[in-house]
Amino acid sequence: MEQSKIWLSSPHMGGGEMKYIQDAFAENWVAPLGPNVNGLEHDLEEFLNEDIYVAALSSGTAAIHLSLILLDVKPGDFVICQSLTFSASANPIVYMGATPIFVDSEKDTWNLCPNAVEDAIKFGISKGKKPKAIIAVALYGMPYKADEIKAISEKYDIPVIEDSAEALGSMYKNQKCGTFGDLAVLSFNGNKIITTSGGGALILKDKAFKKKAVFLSTQAKDDAPHYEHTNIGYNYRMSNICAGIGRGQMEVLPQRVEQRRANHRFYAELFKDFQGFALHAEPNSDYYSNHWLSVVCVDSACGITPEAVRLAAQKENIETRPIWKPMHLQPVFKNSLYFGSDLAEKCFETGLCLPSGSNLTENDFARISHLFAEIFSLS
């Protein structure tokens, strides 16, 4: 009999979600907006604990798109984006008719390489088009080098859009991810550390910016008794039902972070005696990752490849996946500009995402341990 599937990262309900959903039904707040939307925004503002404002949206992708609109990105403008990321970080640049410039990662965090970012900026300036924004990703929950990227941002007066879609609960120097950029993005997709089924949030440092973001995300309806529109709007606001799920999930967020970090510790122990398997980890105590996904790099010199590990896991009904394929290698971006070396490519060639859900059971861990014992015996 086939064993149950161990997923990479599945939703994990805490039990409190139904209260907020039932309240929405009881009060007939089933239409978009309502008390849960306001409540979730407040919960996030309290959790992030900085001088910020939150707008709850339909997705993290919508939040990036609105960020670019708020920063007045126009067709033909350059926008710098980390190459080693999911396509949702980059696609909104194209929505705007702007031109992405992809940059390599650095070895410590796998996030934006400051040297490559500066090279990309100098290139844009040489063409008479200083980049309009820098999209900085906290990959798999690992904070990027916020101090160095901020210094570059201030040196050239280019705002940072912090893509913390994967990093809610992570910190850099005890400051929460989602509070470093001029604007920041969260995702509550079903596979994230907490979920609203689908959904995301835009984090802003200016109340007027939040008002404009909410205006644009609700079809840009002007203040008039009839339907008047002087701006193009978007249907990007989160629903009250989805926000109710999010309110319940916020109640268990600290536990979810600790459970994911415990998964990472499990893998660290599992791989400690095998030099060909290197777990991606915080470079020093400045970094505190939620370890949304635990990622291992497999050195084929040890006699096994990441793909062989993936196939062995698949045979045991255990989901693993290659890490994000860099954007500059994607067919859709094949003609895009790229600055850096080949670190992002090497990460892609060797990296494998491991089951990292906060709902993994002792039996799941035993099966994963058994799988790798078999793999190690072949290496």
Side-chain angles (χ1 to χ4, degrees), residues 20 32-59 63 66 168 178-179 186 188 194 196 199-204 207 209-215 217-218 236-240 242-250 253:
Y20 296 100
L33 305 183
N36 284 333
V37 176
N38 297 333
L40 178 59
E41 291 175 345
H42 175 75
D43 293 344
L44 287 163
E45 289 167 358
E46 290 285 303
F47 177 79
L48 294 171
N49 195 30
E50 297 286 336
D51 188 17
I52 49 93
Y53 302 89
V54 174
L57 302 174
S58 57
S59 68
L66 284 183
L168 182 61
T179 65
L186 299 174
F188 307 120
I194 63 167
T196 57
L202 178 57
I203 302 165
L204 311 106
K207 195 169 186 178
F209 244 25
K210 175 181 174 175
K211 184 177 180 181
K212 187 172 182 181
V214 170
F215 170 71
S217 70
T218 49
Y236 279 172
R237 203 74 161 108
M238 185 182 286
S239 84
N240 197 53
C242 289
I245 300 172
R247 294 214 71 189
Q249 289 273 281
M250 285 297 294
L253 175 58

Side-chain angles (χ1 to χ4, degrees), residues 83-84 104-107 110 139-140 276 278 280 295-300 305-306 322-329 338 340-352:
S83 186
L84 188 58
D104 200 7
S105 301
E106 43 77 19
K107 63 180 178 59
W110 297 3
L139 194 72
Y140 299 123
H280 184 44
V295 181
V296 66
C297 287
V298 182
D299 185 348
S300 56
T305 64
I323 72 168
W324 306 127
K325 183 178 181 179
M327 290 299 100
H328 73 280
L329 300 181
Y338 174 74
S341 60
D342 60 354
L343 192 137
E345 294 176 36
K346 287 179 178 176
C347 289
F348 170 63
E349 290 167 1
T350 61
L352 194 69

Side-chain angles (χ1 to χ4, degrees), residues 68 90-98 100 333:
L68 295 170
N91 286 340
I93 302 171
V94 182
Y95 301 168
M96 302 297 296
F333 291 120

Side-chain angles (χ1 to χ4, degrees), residues 65-202:
H65 188 197
L66 284 183
S67 295
L68 295 170
I69 293 167
L70 290 168
L71 293 177
D72 199 32
V73 172
K74 301 293 186 187
D77 284 343
F78 286 141
V79 175
I80 294 171
C81 183
Q82 186 164 314
S83 186
L84 188 58
T85 186
F86 181 52
S87 62
S89 301
N91 286 340
I93 302 171
V94 182
Y95 301 168
M96 302 297 296
T99 301
I101 304 180
F102 295 113
V103 300
D104 200 7
S105 301
E106 43 77 19
K107 63 180 178 59
D108 292 334
T109 71
W110 297 3
N111 294 312
L112 280 178
C113 171
N115 292 335
V117 171
E118 194 150 19
D119 288 344
I121 292 171
K122 289 176 180 176
F123 169 82
I125 292 171
S126 75
K127 299 297 181 182
K129 290 196 301 184
K130 185 177 75 171
K132 292 289 283 288
I134 300 167
I135 298 176
V137 181
L139 194 72
Y140 299 123
M142 188 66 70
Y144 63 90
K145 293 191 171 181
D147 288 345
E148 293 182 46
I149 298 303
K150 183 179 181 181
I152 293 170
S153 163
E154 291 176 345
K155 177 180 177 180
Y156 293 96
D157 192 26
I158 300 174
V160 173
I161 299 170
E162 178 189 351
D163 183 351
S164 278
E166 302 167 2
L168 182 61
S170 297
M171 294 186 287
Y172 175 71
K173 294 184 177 178
N174 293 316
Q175 182 178 335
K176 299 274 179 57
C177 287
T179 65
F180 293 102
D182 296 273
L183 305 100
V185 172
L186 299 174
S187 172
F188 307 120
N189 190 28
N191 64 355
K192 295 300 188 293
I193 196 155
I194 63 167
T195 185
T196 57
S197 176
L202 178 57

Side-chain angles (χ1 to χ4, degrees), residues 1 24 143 367:
M1 188 175 99
R367 286 173 58 192

Side-chain angles (χ1 to χ4, degrees), residues 274 276-277 297-313 349-350 352 371-379:
F274 293 88
F277 291 76
C297 287
V298 182
D299 185 348
S300 56
C302 73
I304 194 161
T305 64
E307 178 63 3
V309 175
R310 189 188 71 80
L311 292 173
E349 290 167 1
T350 61
L352 194 69
L371 166 71
F372 279 100
E374 294 289 315
I375 289 169
F376 295 150
S377 70
L378 300 174
S379 64

